[in-house]
Amino acid sequence: MYNPERTADFLARRDARRSALREELATRLAGVGECTLEIGCGHGHFLTAYAAAHPEEICLGIDIILDRLERAERKRTRAGLEQLQFIRAEAGEFLDALPAEIRWHRIFVLFPDPWPKRRHHKNRLIQPEFLSALARRATPDARLCFRTDHAPYFADSLLTVHEHPDWEVAEGEAWPFEHETVFQSRAAGYQSWIARHRVTPLI
């Protein structure tokens, strides 16, 4: 049943959270332009290793679970990686709150929640609206790198990318960087795809 007071309270808390995130990102990402992003960075194993191997790149990792981010931050500190930052945020709110100048060179989505039940598929990260939001921030040569151990989600996500006007699957392109994540170490197997940003030529 619709509850106006509950809805108003939810919207007020959401707006306050987004406003706080916008202010945080404006401060933490001041002067940043082109970046590499990992969505759902977990404990930071992959992105910390990636940042160490690519010291010339600014790297951002986001997750919504505080304990994971605290572990990731400890890895970053031990490695002395000043160009790496971990931020607590939900993916959609993060993209909405970003400073206007931020652009993605490379985006990693590794072993996201597959939401296996059909009624929950709407919660999957790889959706047309999400791909459009990423494309608006993508550099012309951007790559979106996806990996999962859930075969139905792999097939669904691959179809979604094939049908999207802003991305095209980079058939045969090599995975850009290998480093085993916690989820990957537990998986019996996995599948990956890479999509390149499809830039519409000016007429």
Side-chain angles (χ1 to χ4, degrees):
M1 181 179 294
Y2 175 67
N3 185 319
E5 291 184 4
R6 182 176 299 174
T7 300
D9 179 64
F10 168 80
L11 293 175
R13 286 187 284 108
R14 183 200 63 184
D15 290 346
R17 186 173 62 248
R18 288 180 174 179
S19 178
L21 180 60
R22 190 171 291 110
E23 292 181 9
E24 177 187 0
L25 294 179
T27 299
R28 295 184 63 176
L29 304 182
V32 173
E34 189 172 305
C35 311
T36 290
L37 172 68
E38 184 183 4
I39 299 173
C41 62
H43 298 161
H45 292 89
F46 178 85
L47 197 59
T48 300
Y50 181 94
H54 300 80
E56 74 285 358
E57 296 185 27
I58 303 296
C59 299
L60 304 177
I62 67 168
D63 207 294
I64 59 173
I65 299 179
L66 182 59
D67 176 67
R68 293 177 180 174
L69 292 172
E70 289 173 344
R71 295 187 184 190
E73 184 62 29
R74 289 196 290 270
K75 291 182 179 67
R76 185 201 72 84
T77 301
R78 287 196 299 268
L81 298 170
E82 296 184 0
Q83 91 280 19
L84 170 62
Q85 293 199 51
F86 293 106
I87 298 168
R88 188 183 189 189
E90 185 273 331
E93 293 185 359
F94 174 77
L95 294 176
D96 288 342
L98 279 169
E101 63 272 15
I102 299 294
R103 293 293 180 272
W104 312 123
H105 165 65
R106 194 169 279 159
I107 307 141
F108 291 99
V109 181
L110 307 178
F111 300 94
D113 191 331
W115 293 98
K117 294 182 180 179
R118 181 169 295 277
R119 69 177 181 273
H120 295 153
H121 284 187
K122 63 182 181 296
N123 297 320
R124 287 177 171 176
L125 193 61
I126 302 300
Q127 305 278 358
E129 298 80 7
F130 179 71
L131 294 176
S132 296
L134 289 178
R136 286 192 291 270
R137 298 283 189 156
T139 63
D141 61 344
R143 294 294 189 271
L144 171 58
C145 306
F146 177 87
R147 178 169 283 177
T148 181
D149 61 341
H150 192 265
Y153 189 16
F154 176 82
D156 180 71
S157 66
L158 191 60
L159 179 61
T160 301
V161 172
H162 272 299
E163 294 178 344
H164 200 278
D166 295 328
W167 298 93
E168 60 183 353
V169 177
E171 301 286 357
E173 189 165 313
W175 191 257
F177 183 76
E178 284 289 357
H179 186 81
E180 189 174 67
T181 69
V182 172
F183 287 107
Q184 186 169 319
S185 69
R186 297 171 180 169
Y190 56 83
Q191 295 171 283
S192 312
W193 51 254
I194 300 172
R196 65 170 66 92
H197 187 203
R198 192 200 307 269
V199 180
T200 303
L202 297 177
I203 300 176

